């Protein structure tokens, strides 16, 4: 065996020994509030990004089929060659209208949207100022650009202002943040960020993947929720969470920013366009969001109830209002064992540990959905209590 392959095998073994090896469970049904897996039937699913319960929507499946029948299976091309259909422009225009932005550009994922953003807009004369808990896609996108990099502590406005002062000589200053920090369910202080951006003539970029569709009165995400609509310059997001749960991402911004991305953004220029079925279903999702008020209310009620029950039972939960509920366990092996036992009891959750979260910050990340019932939530809390007692007794 080649020496390099031996090193790789040793690295994999180290993940197993440290209790951080990530097993992939097999689901045998469509995504939903309850699912079947190869390990059990009718399992309560508490870790999908299926916030509004749309992943198994019959209306979205029908819209995808209709789009495939009319527009075909795929384009076999990138957008600027022969990969743009009227369907793609229709979706971009609809997203722009929904988000209150001038224009939108589609990507195959939000990871690609973030990966193709910074290099296209910034060079060595500029500065990007990034929250310490930003998603890996923002971190990787920033690494690709030549701008000077600054990092401020999570949601710390004083530290952000320090960075802005240090970057005062940059041509362009761009503040980059998640709208919701996905490992903790913490909502970004967008009012504070936008205020500092205006004070220091900086742009604001928000990845709103864990908010678009359900946060804010109309589901327009954290800018609406935080009362800063019109003050965020660049919004990235995904179609793969609340907006149907399939694939696709976008960047919404001014016409000038989007036009520049169409000319320079490498994931856009060198990746096949979004499949017609995905675009058609996304258009249907945006239509459904106009009447999704009850689902948003149900999701908020589920979130409040579950958080309150877990607090009553004295679980160590990161405080907040978001349907991401981080149940802190700190030890990687404990988190892995905890999740495995929960599945045996009928609750599908996953242990999150390094390198997904920092060393010593292992957790179970619960994600609530509008598809969950009150009975589901009580069952989940009871299972958490049972597993805690079992593992404490060992």
């Amino acid at each position: 065996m080649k020496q390099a392959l031996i090193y790789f095998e040793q690295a994999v073994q180290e993940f197993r020994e440290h209790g951080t090896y990530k097993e992939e469970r097999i689901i045998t049904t469509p995504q939903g509030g309850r699912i079947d897996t190869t390990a059990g039937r009718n399992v309560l699913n508490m870790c999908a990004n299926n916030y509004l319960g749309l992943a198994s929507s019959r209306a979205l499946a029908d819209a995808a089929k209709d789009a495939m029948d009319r527009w075909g299976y795929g384009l076999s091309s990138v957008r600027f060659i022969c990969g743009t259909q009227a369907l793609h422009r229709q979706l971009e225009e609809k997203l722009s209208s929904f988000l209150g932005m001038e224009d939108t550009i589609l990507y195959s994922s939000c990871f690609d949207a973030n990966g193709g953003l910074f290099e296209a807009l910034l060079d060595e004369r500029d500065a990007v100022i990034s929250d310490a808990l930003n998603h890996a896609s923002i971190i990787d996108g920033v690494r690709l650009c030549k701008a000077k990099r600054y990092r401020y502590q999570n949601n710390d406005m004083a530290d952000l202002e320090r960075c802005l002062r240090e970057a005062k000589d940059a041509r362009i200053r761009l503040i980059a943040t998640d709208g919701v920090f996905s490992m903790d369910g913490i909502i970004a202080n967008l009012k504070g960020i936008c205020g500092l951006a205006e004070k220091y003539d900086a742009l604001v970029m928000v990845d709103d993947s864990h908010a678009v569709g359900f946060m804010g009165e109309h589901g327009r995400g954290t800018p609406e929720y935080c009362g800063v609509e019109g003050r965020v310059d660049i919004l990235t997001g995904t179609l793969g969470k609340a907006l149907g749960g399939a694939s696709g991402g976008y960047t919404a911004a001014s016409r000038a920013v989007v036009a520049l991305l169409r000319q320079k953004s490498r994931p856009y220029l060198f990746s096949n366009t979004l499949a017609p079925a995905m675009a058609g279903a996304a258009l249907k999702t945006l239509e459904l969001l106009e009447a999704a008020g009850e689902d948003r209310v149900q999701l908020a009620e589920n979130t409040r109830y579950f958080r309150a029950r877990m607090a009553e039972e004295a679980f160590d939960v990161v405080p907040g209002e978001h349907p991401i509920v981080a149940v802190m366990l700190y030890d990687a092996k404990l988190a892995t064992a905890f999740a495995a036992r929960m599945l045996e009891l009928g609750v599908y959750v996953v242990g999150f540990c390094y390198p997904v979260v920092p060393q010593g910050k292992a957790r179970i990340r619960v994600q609530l959905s509008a598809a969950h019932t009150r009975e589901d939530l009580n069952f989940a809390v009871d299972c958490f209590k049972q597993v805690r007692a079992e593992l404490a007794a060992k």
Side-chain angles (χ1 to χ4, degrees), residues 3-149:
Q3 191 65 38
L5 299 181
I6 296 174
Y7 293 149
F8 298 154
E9 285 192 353
Q10 291 172 345
V12 171
Q13 184 58 30
E14 288 176 4
F15 276 100
R16 296 185 187 279
E17 292 172 356
H18 296 156
T20 59
Y21 188 84
K22 291 172 280 297
E23 300 282 356
E24 295 184 0
R25 299 163 177 170
I26 307 299
I27 300 174
T28 59
T29 59
Q31 186 67 275
R34 285 190 174 268
I35 54 177
D36 291 349
T37 76
T38 52
R41 296 177 57 82
N42 196 34
V43 172
L44 176 60
N45 186 0
M46 299 290 285
C47 60
N49 298 311
N50 188 24
Y51 293 112
L52 294 175
L54 295 177
S56 57
S57 165
R58 184 73 261 162
L60 296 191
D62 289 343
K65 290 177 182 177
D66 290 345
M68 191 180 298
D69 287 342
R70 180 178 178 186
W71 298 101
Y73 176 65
L75 273 297
S76 303
S77 183
V78 301
R79 289 285 298 271
F80 84 95
I81 300 177
C82 60
T84 298
Q85 293 174 321
L87 185 68
H88 297 102
R89 280 304 298 150
Q90 185 181 355
L91 177 54
E92 287 169 338
E93 291 166 1
K94 187 73 173 178
L95 279 167
S96 300
S97 176
F98 176 69
L99 297 169
M101 306 297 273
E102 288 184 355
D103 202 359
T104 298
I105 177 173
L106 295 173
Y107 289 85
S108 59
S109 68
C110 188
F111 202 109
D112 276 349
N114 289 338
L117 177 71
F118 303 95
E119 183 184 26
L121 300 182
L122 307 174
D123 62 28
E124 62 276 0
R125 297 169 292 178
D126 306 319
V128 58
I129 305 162
S130 182
D131 190 287
L133 292 188
N134 276 343
H135 190 266
S137 58
I138 296 178
I139 295 170
D140 286 358
V142 169
R143 286 173 175 165
L144 290 171
C145 80
K146 296 179 180 178
K148 190 169 183 180
R149 304 167 199 168

Side-chain angles (χ1 to χ4, degrees), residues 83-242:
T84 298
Q85 293 174 321
L87 185 68
H88 297 102
R89 280 304 298 150
Q90 185 181 355
L91 177 54
E92 287 169 338
E93 291 166 1
K94 187 73 173 178
L95 279 167
S96 300
S97 176
F98 176 69
L99 297 169
M101 306 297 273
E102 288 184 355
D103 202 359
T104 298
I105 177 173
L106 295 173
Y107 289 85
S108 59
S109 68
C110 188
F111 202 109
D112 276 349
N114 289 338
L117 177 71
F118 303 95
E119 183 184 26
L121 300 182
L122 307 174
D123 62 28
E124 62 276 0
R125 297 169 292 178
D126 306 319
V128 58
I129 305 162
S130 182
D131 190 287
L133 292 188
N134 276 343
H135 190 266
S137 58
I138 296 178
I139 295 170
D140 286 358
V142 169
R143 286 173 175 165
L144 290 171
C145 80
K146 296 179 180 178
K148 190 169 183 180
R149 304 167 199 168
Y150 298 84
R151 188 174 75 163
Y152 64 97
Q153 294 304 306
N154 178 237
N155 252 357
D156 186 329
M157 296 300 100
D159 203 32
L160 172 57
E161 186 163 21
R162 172 191 62 80
C163 293
L164 286 164
R165 287 188 185 124
E166 290 181 10
K168 62 182 176 59
D169 295 329
R171 181 190 63 153
I172 297 170
R173 287 159 296 280
L174 172 60
I175 303 168
T177 183
D178 283 343
V180 176
F181 299 95
S182 59
M183 290 299 108
D184 300 274
I186 296 169
I187 300 168
N189 179 4
L190 292 189
K191 278 191 176 179
I193 291 169
C194 289
L196 286 173
E198 288 153 8
K199 179 179 178 180
Y200 289 92
D201 189 28
L203 297 174
V204 177
M205 171 269 178
V206 176
D207 176 344
D208 221 24
S209 293
H210 284 278
V212 66
F214 63 93
M215 292 196 72
E217 182 180 356
H218 303 95
R220 296 192 178 103
T222 52
E224 182 180 39
Y225 180 85
C226 296
V228 295
E229 286 185 290
R231 299 171 68 189
V232 173
D233 302 285
I234 301 169
L235 276 172
T236 64
T238 182
L239 307 176
K241 292 183 171 58

Side-chain angles (χ1 to χ4, degrees), residues 325-329 335 338-339 349-352 362-366 384:
V325 183
V327 183
M328 302 302 297
L329 299 172
F338 204 112
V349 291
V350 171
F352 283 68
R363 68 199 65 186
I364 300 288
R365 187 183 73 171
V366 174
F384 267 102

